[in-house]
Amino acid sequence: MNTEKLKEIMNLKHISIYQLSKETGISDSLLGKILSGKVKNPRIDTVKKIANVLDVSIDDVVI
């Protein structure tokens, strides 16, 4: 997961971890770990949910 790219997309779309958590159903603690790099390879369904809510392709948040 490209955490810098993910943070950039979230910033551009003005979406906080809290908002992303509410819209994806993923806990804010897991999202925090993903964004901090503690979770390097999240499950594909997690990546799909994040990409879907941010309205980007999976490649946009992974590469």
Side-chain angles (χ1 to χ4, degrees), residues 18-33:
Y18 177 78
Q19 288 173 295
L20 191 57
S21 171
K22 289 296 180 195
E23 292 188 39
T24 59
I26 301 166
S27 71
D28 55 350
S29 64
L30 176 56
L31 288 171
K33 288 176 184 176

Side-chain angles (χ1 to χ4, degrees), residues 16-49:
S16 67
I17 291 175
Y18 177 78
Q19 288 173 295
L20 191 57
S21 171
K22 289 296 180 195
E23 292 188 39
T24 59
I26 301 166
S27 71
D28 55 350
S29 64
L30 176 56
L31 288 171
K33 288 176 184 176
I34 291 169
L35 288 167
S36 70
K38 290 180 182 173
V39 173
K40 301 215 181 283
N41 294 308
R43 294 172 44 173
I44 189 65
D45 61 316
T46 301
V47 176
K48 284 180 182 178
K49 288 177 186 177

